[in-house]
Amino acid sequence: GAVVSQHPSWVICKSGTSVKIECRSLDFQATTMFWYRQFPKQSLMLMATSNEGSKATYEQGVEKDKFLINHASLTLSTLTVTSAHPEDSSFYICSARGSRGSYEQYFGPGTRLTVT
Amino acid sequence: AQSVTQPDIHITVSEGASLELRCNYSYGATPYLFWYVQSPGQGLQLLLKYFSGDTLVQGIKGFEAEFKRSQSSFNLRKPSVHWSDAAEYFCAVARQSGGSNYKLTFGKGTLLTVNP
């Protein structure tokens, strides 16, 4: 149980275009989803927290107009990188939490984004 | 501010040898602590967690960790390492982010190499 998937697992896009990454909780309803960014050989940095049906809360320094997050249902959250630039190339990982107040997060396998 | 320190960036051990990965945290309240493992290009898998109670916690894959409040540490151990344990290991602390929400703060990770 508690499986989280991400799609696509790997994407290449041209500079200036937008790319959407999906995060799905497959066997549970996720009241909260988190989006992380991981640079090579570095830790995970939390980008934003999204609760189903409400606007995402972004961490300091994260551009909300560039990284659009939508959490339209209890099983799906999307991250859209708008007007992507090469510096947006990174490994993006989502996680999901089944109930408010729970400390545990279940992580997706990640999406490798390369912007050329 | 909450923080997690993993002093060892890279550790190499021989297969069959014992392993200890260090983690120190800084958190004002009672910490909720986690160890995750990340294989190359993959998301994170939870090894074990500490919320309260017995300070020695058992996890999956033969791992255990000991919470020592006096030392602000939560070190991960395994008595006999297998080649398949080669991966990146992250220590994390859950911090309250408002209401009943909690966020994870990760350490920078320790890369484990296992020699045959």
Side-chain angles (χ1 to χ4, degrees), chain B residues 14-31:
Chain B
S14 298
E15 190 169 16
S18 63
L19 172 70
E20 182 171 35
L21 302 182
R22 296 183 291 165
C23 172
N24 293 97
Y25 66 90
S26 172
Y27 188 58
T30 300

Side-chain angles (χ1 to χ4, degrees), chain A residues 11-88:
Chain A
V11 58
I12 299 176
C13 70
K14 293 186 176 181
S15 186
T17 63
S18 296
V19 60
K20 180 183 288 187
I21 302 170
E22 292 185 350
C23 176
R24 294 181 183 273
S25 56
L26 298 185
D27 52 2
F28 68 103
Q29 293 185 327
T31 56
T32 305
M33 287 186 169
F34 302 86
W35 287 95
Y36 296 85
R37 182 173 180 177
Q38 186 179 30
F39 292 99
K41 301 187 184 300
Q42 294 192 28
S43 187
L44 282 76
M45 300 300 296
L46 179 65
M47 299 175 65
T49 303
S50 72
N51 293 301
E52 185 266 339
S54 60
K55 290 184 178 180
T57 302
Y58 291 81
E59 295 298 299
Q60 191 172 8
V62 177
E63 299 176 61
K64 61 181 180 181
D65 294 330
K66 181 168 188 59
F67 299 99
L68 301 179
I69 292 172
N70 183 277
H71 191 165
S73 77
L74 285 172
T75 59
L76 173 64
S77 176
T78 59
L79 168 67
T80 301
V81 183
T82 63
S83 186
H85 289 109
E87 56 265 31
D88 299 325

